[in-house]
Amino acid sequence: MSKVITACGRRKRSIAQIKMVPGSGKITVNGKDVREYLPFEVNVMNLMQPLVATKNESTFDIEVVVKGGGYNGQTEAIRLAITKALLVYDENTDPNSDTSYRKILKAAGFITRDPRVKERKKYGLRKARRAPQFSKR
C-alpha cells in the first residue's frame, strides 16, 4: 500500500484539496486532465512549479478537487496544496540541509499563502471604494 498524502490550499475564493500518491506524474483536476481543465498553458506551468523546483515532475500522481474562484485563483490554490503535500512527504529530512524541500520551496516563495482577497462592497458606493460620480451643478 503506497502512502497517500492529502493537503488543502486556498487562494482568493478558491479551495483545492489534493491527494498525492507515488506514480508517473499524472495530474487530474475535477476528474479531467490538468491541460484539459485549465485553458492556458501558463496556469499549468504555474501549478507545476513546486514539482519542478523539487525535481518531482514524474514522481507523483495528483488528484485535485477544486471549487470556487476563477482559473488563476484555482491554479494558485492547487500550487499551495501541492507545496504543502511535498512538505509532508519530506518532513523527515533535516530542514537545514540544502536538499530539503522546505528550503527549496521557501526560497522560491511557494510556502506563503497569498492573503489578498476581494474587498467587500460598501453601501452608497458602486464597488468597494468607487463612489458615484460627483456633480457640482
Side-chain angles (χ1 to χ4, degrees):
M1 170 88 181
S2 60
K3 188 179 177 194
V4 176
I5 300 169
T6 59
C8 179
R10 293 184 178 87
R11 170 75 168 102
K12 292 185 179 180
R13 291 264 174 210
S14 304
I15 300 172
Q17 295 173 311
I18 71 161
K19 286 182 190 166
M20 191 167 84
V21 292
S24 60
K26 187 171 180 245
I27 300 176
T28 312
V29 181
N30 291 350
K32 297 180 182 176
D33 181 61
V34 68
R35 283 171 170 63
E36 190 182 322
Y37 183 80
L38 295 171
F40 307 111
E41 189 62 31
V42 175
N43 288 6
V44 177
M45 287 167 42
N46 193 4
L47 75 82
M48 293 283 286
Q49 283 177 329
L51 296 169
V52 173
T54 56
K55 297 176 179 63
N56 284 315
E57 301 99 317
S58 56
T59 312
F60 299 105
D61 284 343
I62 300 172
E63 194 174 308
V64 183
V65 176
V66 66
K67 295 179 187 139
Y71 291 121
N72 287 329
Q74 287 185 354
T75 300
E76 293 194 22
I78 295 167
R79 185 176 80 176
L80 182 62
I82 290 171
T83 300
K84 286 181 176 181
L86 286 170
L87 291 176
V88 170
Y89 174 76
D90 195 50
E91 64 191 353
N92 295 329
T93 307
D94 177 33
N96 296 325
S97 75
D98 290 336
T99 58
S100 94
Y101 288 175
R102 178 160 197 85
K103 199 165 197 174
I104 295 165
L105 295 168
K106 183 82 172 168
F110 299 141
I111 294 177
T112 309
R113 186 227 193 263
D114 192 342
R116 297 174 296 170
V117 292
K118 186 170 178 165
E119 192 175 332
R120 80 170 197 83
K121 184 194 177 303
K122 280 76 168 191
Y123 61 88
L125 300 179
R126 288 189 179 161
K127 292 168 66 180
R129 299 185 185 204
R130 170 76 171 104
Q133 189 170 0
F134 175 74
S135 172
K136 199 165 193 177
R137 285 177 245 304

